[in-house]
Amino acid sequence: MSKTALPRVLSAALLLTLGLTQAQKVETVSIGIAVAQTSNTALLGQEQVIGARFAEKYLNARGGINGTPFKLVFQDTGGDEAGAINAFQNLITKDKVVGIVGPTLSQQAFASDPIAERAKVPVLGPSNTAKGIPQIGNFIARVSAPVAVVAPNAVKQALKLDPKIKEVAVLYAQNDAFSTSETGTFQETVKAQGLTLATVQKFQTTDTDFTTQVTAVLNAKVELVIISGLAADGGNLVKQLRQLGYKGLIIGGNGLNTSNMFPVCQKLCDGVIIAQAYSPNQGSAANQVFVKEYTAQYKKAPPQFAAQAYAGVQVMVEALKVIDRKKKLNTWDLDDLRVELNKQILLGKYNTPLGPIAFDKEGEVIQKEFYVAQIRMKDAKTGSFVYLK
Amino acid sequence: MEFSQLVQNLLNGLAIGSVYAIFALGYTLVFSILGIINFAHGAVFTLGAYFTYTLVVGEFGNNGLLKGVNLFPNGSPLSGEPLTFALATLLGAVGAGLVAVLIERLAFRPMRSRGADPLLALVSSLGVALVIVNLIQLLVGAEIYNFPADAYGDTPPALSFTMGDKVVIIRTVQVIIFAVSLVMLAVLGYVIGRTKIGKALRAVAENPGTASLLGISVDRFIVITFFLSGFVGGLAGTLVGTAFGVAGPYFGVTYGLKGLAVIVLGGLGSIPGAVLGGLVIGLAEAFVPADYSAYKDAVAFALLFAILLVRPQGLLGRSAIQKV
C-alpha cells in the first residue's frame, strides 16, 4: 500500500466505525442511576436508590412507557468526583442509557456532568442544590430546588419562633461544594434580616470532633446556629453543641434533611429547624399515592432524597412516553433519542411527589411549594419532621 | 490569647489527641513486632464498635441484609438479660481481636512465608480493609448507629468550670477516652516490658530467626500480637463510637491516615510514642484558630514534617544503628 493511501484507508475505517456506533438502535430503554452506594455519602445515596427502585417498580406496574417496561441501571459513584466520573462514563458508553439521574453531591456534579454534556446525554440532578448546576450545560437539569430558594425560609421561621434573635453563628463544611454554596445563601439571609453574623466556623465533612468550633460558638454567645453540612458531621455537630451547653435554636441545611441524622444526635436532634423541598404532607394526588405505597413497603414516611430520586425517574419516564407516542422508541437511534429526551424533559410539566414541577430553559426546576420542618424526637431512635406553618 | 482560652484549647487538644492515641496504639503494636503497617487496623477499629453495638442493641435499621433482624430477641444468649455496656465492650474488643488474627492468617502470613516484600503485605492489608468495610455496608447499610445515651450510666454529658467570666468545658466521654488510653498504655507497657509474653514478643521483634532457634514459636507470638492489636483497636472503636456515633462503615478508615502520622511522629514501633504523638497532633490541631479549623489537618501534617526534619526517628523512636 502506498504511503498516501494508508491515511485514507485508516480514515475510511474510522468513519465506518463511527458510522456503526452512531447507528445504534434502542432495544431496551435504560435509565442510568448514578448515586453514592458506598462511602460516607451512601447515607444519602441509599435513600436515593430506594426512591429510584420504587419508581421503577411502581411506574412499570402501571404500564412503563406506553406498555413497554423500562430498566434502571445503577452505577455507584462513591462519595468523590472520580467515582462520579467513572459511573457516568460507564452508564454512557457501556450501559447505553438514554439519560442519567445523578449524582448525589453537587461537588460530584461539577466534575461528572460535563462528561454527559460532551456526550449529549441528558442528566437530572436528584439532590444537587448548589448554585450553577443547570448552567453546566444544555443537557443538565435538576429536580432539586436550589438552596438559594429553600434556605431563607428556615431563617424566617426561626425568627418567628424567637423574635429576640440578634447574634448568629454559621458553621459549614468547607470541603463540600453544596455546603459552601448553601452557607453563602444563609449568610446573605442573616444579613438581609438585620441580624449580626457573630462567627463563621468551618469544618470538614469527615470531621467527628467539633470541640473547637463549639467552644468558639459558645464564647460568641449567639442565639441562633446555622449548620451546612451532611448528615453524619451535621448530626455530630448538633449533638456536641447541645452536650456542651448551647441552648438556642439550630437550623440545619439540606444535608441534614434526612432521618439518618436521628441516630447521630438522638434526643438532642429535637427542635432542629430544617427547610425542605419535600413534605410527605404535600397534598397532591401523586404524592399521596407515593407516600401510601412507600409507607406500606418501608414502614416510614419517604424522606426528601427518596422523593427527589423518584421524581427524577418519573420525569424521564413521562418525557419518554411523549416521545414514544410520536415515534416508537425502538426505532430511534440512541444518540438522537438522547437529544430528543433532553428537549422533551425541558418542555414538559410533571405532577410529582414534590408537587407540580417544570423546568426553565436552562434546566432549573420550577417548584412552588417549600416547607420548614422541626425535628421532634419520640425517643432516642425515632423522630419525625413536624411541618411548621 | 486569654488564659481560659489557653486552658480550653489544651483540653480540646488532649481530648482529640487521646482519640488519635488510642487508635494508634494497636496500629503501632503490629509495627513494633513485625515492622509492617497494618492498613486493616481502621476496619478492625470499626468492627469493634459494630460488635459492641450488636451486643448492646442487637438490631440494625433500614438497610443492608440484616435490616430489621433482631439478633438477640431474648436478651443475651448466656443470661437472657441485655448485656451491660462494659461487658459488651469487652466482648466486642475480643471479637475485633479475633478478626485481627484472621487478617494475619489471610493477608500477612502467606506473604511472610513467601518472603515477600513488606510493601506487598501493606497492600494486601489495604485490600482486606476495603473488603471488611464493604461487607459491613452490605450487612447493615451506611447508617450511623449510636450507642444508648446511658452507656456510661448517669455521668453528665459535659464537665465544666469557670475561669473569670469564661466557661471552660469538656465532654465527659472524652475524659473517659483519655483515661482509657493512658490505662491501655500502662497495661501494654507492663505486658511488653515485664511479662514472659512481652519478652518473647521483643525477641521476635529483634530477630525472628534467633527467637525461633531459642524455642519461641514465632507464628504463635505474631498471632498474639495481632490479637492484642485488634483487641485494643476494637476497644478504641467502641469508645470513639460513644463519643461521635458509629459513623458508618468508613468510620475507622478515616482515622487511618491520621493514625499513620501519629505513629511516625511518636517514633515507629514506640508504644509510648504513639500516645505522645497522638496528643501532640491533637494539641497542634486544637491551637489552630477556630476560624481556620478546617485547615487543622494541614497544620498537623506540617508539624509532622517539621519534627521529622529535626528528628527523623520521631519523638520517642530510636535511631537505626548502622553496622559497619
Side-chain angles (χ1 to χ4, degrees):
Chain A
M1 192 184 295
S2 72
K3 279 185 182 176
T4 49
L6 185 63
R8 278 185 227 155
V9 171
L10 284 175
S11 21
L14 186 66
L15 284 170
L16 192 66
T17 316
L18 286 172
L20 285 172
T21 54
Q22 277 174 347
Q24 289 178 93
K25 292 284 182 233
V26 179
E27 287 164 16
T28 312
V29 177
S30 302
I31 298 168
I33 308 291
V35 294
Q37 295 176 54
T38 56
S39 87
N40 289 342
T41 315
L43 208 57
L44 307 176
Q46 65 189 12
E47 287 183 357
Q48 294 174 314
V49 168
I50 290 171
R53 280 200 197 285
F54 190 81
E56 181 183 35
K57 190 175 156 191
Y58 182 81
L59 297 173
N60 271 334
R62 275 150 191 76
I65 301 162
N66 306 328
T68 309
F70 65 93
K71 192 178 81 171
L72 294 186
V73 182
F74 288 81
Q75 283 278 354
D76 173 31
T77 61
D80 60 3
E81 294 87 330
I85 288 169
N86 195 27
F88 268 51
Q89 281 173 333
N90 279 337
L91 288 170
I92 293 165
T93 56
K94 188 162 69 76
D95 301 316
K96 310 270 187 265
V97 298
V98 293
I100 298 172
V101 176
T104 302
L105 301 177
S106 298
Q107 178 90 5
Q108 296 174 302
F110 286 119
S112 61
D113 285 359
I115 307 272
E117 177 67 20
R118 280 196 292 275
K120 295 189 165 54
V121 177
V123 173
L124 276 176
S127 52
N128 315 143
T129 56
K131 195 175 168 185
I133 295 282
Q135 289 75 24
I136 291 170
N138 295 330
F139 284 78
I140 314 301
R142 59 175 163 195
V143 296
S144 42
V147 71
V149 177
V150 183
N153 297 331
V155 179
K156 289 167 191 161
Q157 189 68 50
L159 284 168
K160 267 191 205 170
L161 292 173
D162 183 2
K164 290 199 288 294
I165 291 172
K166 285 279 179 289
E167 304 281 323
V168 183
V170 170
L171 300 97
Y172 71 96
Q174 71 150 26
N175 62 330
D176 177 58
F178 145 73
S179 295
T180 49
S181 170
E182 186 184 65
T183 197
T185 305
F186 273 129
Q187 290 180 38
E188 282 164 25
T189 309
V190 165
K191 288 171 192 161
Q193 296 290 329
L195 306 170
T196 309
L197 206 52
T199 178
V200 177
Q201 298 288 314
K202 306 175 190 84
F203 58 90
Q204 310 266 15
T205 50
T206 49
D207 283 355
T208 47
D209 183 90
F210 299 100
T211 321
T212 305
Q213 289 87 345
V214 173
T215 46
V217 167
L218 292 174
N219 287 330
K221 296 194 166 51
V222 298
E223 295 96 17
L224 174 65
V225 169
I226 302 175
I227 299 168
S228 293
L230 300 178
D233 45 305
N236 253 318
L237 196 38
V238 170
K239 175 176 162 180
Q240 288 171 44
L241 273 163
R242 294 298 188 208
Q243 284 188 333
L244 290 170
Y246 174 71
K247 291 194 170 58
L249 282 173
I250 298 175
I251 290 176
N254 195 52
L256 280 70
N257 183 12
T258 163
S259 55
N260 281 325
M261 201 178 79
F262 300 166
V264 189
C265 38
Q266 296 175 309
K267 282 199 165 174
L268 301 175
C269 301
D270 204 71
V272 172
I273 298 166
I274 291 179
Q276 301 185 308
Y278 170 72
S279 159
N281 301 344
Q282 200 273 341
S284 71
N287 186 45
Q288 287 316 303
V289 172
F290 172 65
V291 171
K292 190 175 156 216
E293 299 268 344
Y294 188 99
T295 311
Q297 197 171 331
Y298 294 100
K299 308 286 176 278
K300 63 172 187 177
Q304 178 179 304
F305 289 92
Q308 286 176 324
Y310 180 99
V313 175
Q314 185 191 338
V315 165
M316 288 237 175
V317 169
E318 287 190 16
L320 286 164
K321 277 184 185 176
V322 175
I323 298 167
D324 182 72
R325 280 191 212 107
K326 292 179 199 161
K327 182 185 167 189
K328 280 283 164 215
L329 293 184
N330 58 8
T331 62
W332 282 84
D333 288 339
L334 179 60
D335 290 351
D336 296 342
L337 179 58
R338 286 167 168 175
V339 173
E340 186 63 22
L341 174 60
N342 187 57
K343 279 185 204 155
Q344 188 54 51
I345 284 172
L346 300 187
L347 287 174
K349 288 186 167 59
Y350 311 90
N351 282 317
T352 69
L354 309 174
I357 62 169
F359 300 92
D360 69 10
K361 61 181 188 308
E362 278 192 319
E364 184 64 273
V365 67
I366 301 164
Q367 185 182 344
K368 290 187 177 64
E369 297 176 56
F370 300 105
Y371 314 87
V372 179
Q374 199 162 20
I375 295 174
R376 285 280 165 248
M377 297 303 293
K378 218 183 292 180
D379 53 44
K381 268 199 261 179
T382 46
S384 58
F385 293 99
V386 176
Y387 291 86
L388 303 169
K389 289 234 163 30
Chain B
M1 188 187 290
E2 288 179 44
F3 185 64
S4 62
Q5 187 61 49
L6 181 78
V7 174
Q8 181 68 67
N9 284 352
L10 272 171
L11 286 177
N12 292 354
L14 291 175
I16 191 62
S18 58
V19 170
Y20 298 151
I22 203 165
F23 178 87
L25 270 174
Y27 220 1
T28 202
L29 196 61
V30 168
F31 188 89
S32 66
I33 305 299
L34 290 178
I36 48 173
I37 296 287
N38 173 17
F39 263 133
H41 186 70
V44 172
F45 170 93
T46 306
L47 274 176
Y50 275 98
F51 285 158
T52 306
Y53 181 88
T54 307
L55 292 166
V56 172
V57 182
E59 195 169 6
F60 289 94
N62 301 312
N63 286 291
L65 297 177
L66 294 178
K67 177 173 78 177
V69 177
N70 191 340
L71 298 168
F72 303 110
N74 306 315
S76 154
L78 302 171
S79 63
E81 293 292 314
L83 285 181
T84 62
F85 178 72
L87 182 59
T89 302
L90 200 65
L91 291 174
V94 170
L98 294 174
V99 170
V101 168
L102 193 65
I103 289 169
E104 193 277 326
R105 296 300 295 265
L106 295 175
F108 289 96
R109 190 174 296 190
M111 300 283 171
R112 209 170 51 248
S113 62
R114 293 193 192 100
D117 191 296
L119 185 65
L120 294 183
L122 183 139
V123 173
S124 80
S125 71
L126 188 61
V128 170
L130 287 171
V131 168
I132 290 174
V133 161
N134 282 283
L135 201 60
I136 293 172
Q137 184 165 323
L138 184 71
L139 290 172
V140 301
E143 269 90 357
I144 297 160
Y145 291 99
N146 229 317
F147 293 102
D150 61 355
Y152 295 116
D154 296 330
T155 49
L159 306 170
S160 63
F161 53 92
T162 46
M163 296 186 80
D165 62 339
K166 288 276 193 293
V167 175
V168 175
I169 198 159
I170 186 164
R171 295 166 71 212
T172 314
V173 65
Q174 297 194 288
V175 176
I176 293 169
I177 291 173
F178 182 60
V180 171
S181 59
L182 292 182
V183 169
M184 289 312 300
L185 171 66
V187 168
L188 284 176
Y190 176 78
V191 168
I192 288 169
R194 308 262 169 196
T195 65
K196 267 191 174 178
I197 289 177
K199 275 183 188 165
L201 287 174
R202 278 181 288 141
V204 171
E206 194 64 42
N207 190 321
T210 310
S212 184
L213 288 174
L214 291 169
I216 295 169
S217 167
V218 172
D219 278 347
R220 189 156 66 99
F221 280 96
I222 286 174
V223 163
I224 289 170
T225 304
F226 268 86
F227 178 80
L228 282 175
S229 163
F231 180 89
V232 175
L235 181 69
T238 297
L239 290 172
V240 176
T242 58
F244 309 127
V246 186
Y250 293 81
F251 163 57
V253 177
T254 50
Y255 287 100
L257 193 61
K258 197 65 73 68
L260 196 59
V262 165
I263 63 175
V264 169
L265 180 65
L268 280 169
S270 164
I271 289 167
V275 173
L276 182 65
L279 296 179
V280 168
I281 285 188
L283 286 166
E285 287 183 3
F287 278 91
V288 175
D291 288 353
Y292 299 97
S293 58
Y295 301 105
K296 63 184 189 299
D297 284 358
V299 169
F301 280 89
L303 176 80
L304 169 72
F305 176 67
I307 288 179
L308 288 183
L309 283 179
V310 182
R311 276 188 68 84
Q313 70 273 36
L315 293 171
L316 300 183
R318 284 179 303 181
S319 305
I321 298 165
Q322 229 171 0
K323 291 174 184 168
V324 285

